Amino acid sequence: MGGHSNWPEWIYIGVVVALMCWVGAEAWEAERLVEHVPEGAETIIVTGQQWFWTFEHEDGTKEIGELHVEVGKAYKLEIHSKDVNHSFNIHDYVVLMDAIPGRVNTVWFAPTDAGEHDIQCREYCGLIHYNMRGKLIVEDPTA
């Protein structure tokens, strides 16, 4: 009975604790990157309403259904809803945030390539939900 060694169990526990610390550190870093809006990011107010999106830039420029941005700039989107729950989605930039009446949700992104990308609502918001689409137009100011 006295010859039993339990060092394999201690090694197992050590490996599991090390893995949990590594996964926790990676998750913390990912969360920090998502939550940290870069300095100098332009704020754009995004409003969802049945069944279109409106955008208001910091300089007061307003757009309906189309959002024009520039390559290489960071943008902070403040997402609102005027009526029911919506969900703002730019699939190509992995931007997905709920638009809830009475609440402002924020998300940021920085487009890297010029081109056009689809914007759509990802929350069923009424009979014409399928038609609640928009266009993200990323422009290269040097071109």
Side-chain angles (χ1 to χ4, degrees):
M1 295 278 195
H4 176 70
S5 174
N6 57 3
W7 66 267
E9 288 87 1
W10 286 110
I11 290 174
Y12 176 77
I13 290 170
V15 168
V16 169
V17 168
L19 283 173
M20 291 176 68
C21 289
W22 179 73
V23 169
E26 289 293 318
W28 180 81
E29 179 65 12
E31 183 76 16
R32 189 187 68 77
L33 289 173
V34 168
E35 295 293 324
H36 176 75
V37 179
E39 282 190 38
E42 180 183 328
T43 300
I44 298 173
I45 298 171
V46 178
T47 304
Q49 58 191 52
Q50 291 177 321
W51 290 274
F52 59 97
W53 297 102
T54 58
F55 308 98
E56 183 175 348
H57 295 265
E58 285 180 346
D59 64 1
T61 304
K62 295 182 181 178
E63 300 180 90
I64 298 173
E66 284 188 354
L67 174 60
H68 290 79
V69 296
E70 293 180 1
V71 171
K73 283 183 71 175
Y75 295 91
K76 174 184 171 188
L77 306 176
E78 292 183 353
I79 300 172
H80 307 251
S81 173
K82 281 191 172 179
D83 42 34
V84 299
N85 292 354
H86 302 279
S87 187
F88 182 78
N89 179 229
I90 306 171
H91 177 78
D92 293 343
Y93 283 103
V94 195
V95 171
L96 179 63
M97 184 58 69
D98 288 337
I100 309 293
R103 183 187 297 177
V104 178
N105 289 328
T106 60
V107 64
W108 71 273
F109 80 111
T112 55
D113 298 312
E116 291 187 10
H117 307 275
D118 291 330
I119 296 172
Q120 63 187 60
C121 180
R122 299 287 285 186
E123 176 79 31
Y124 180 73
C125 56
L127 289 176
I128 309 177
H129 160 74
Y130 69 90
N131 205 26
M132 189 170 173
R133 299 174 185 266
K135 201 57 95 176
L136 171 70
I137 299 168
V138 182
E139 300 168 339
D140 186 351
T142 61

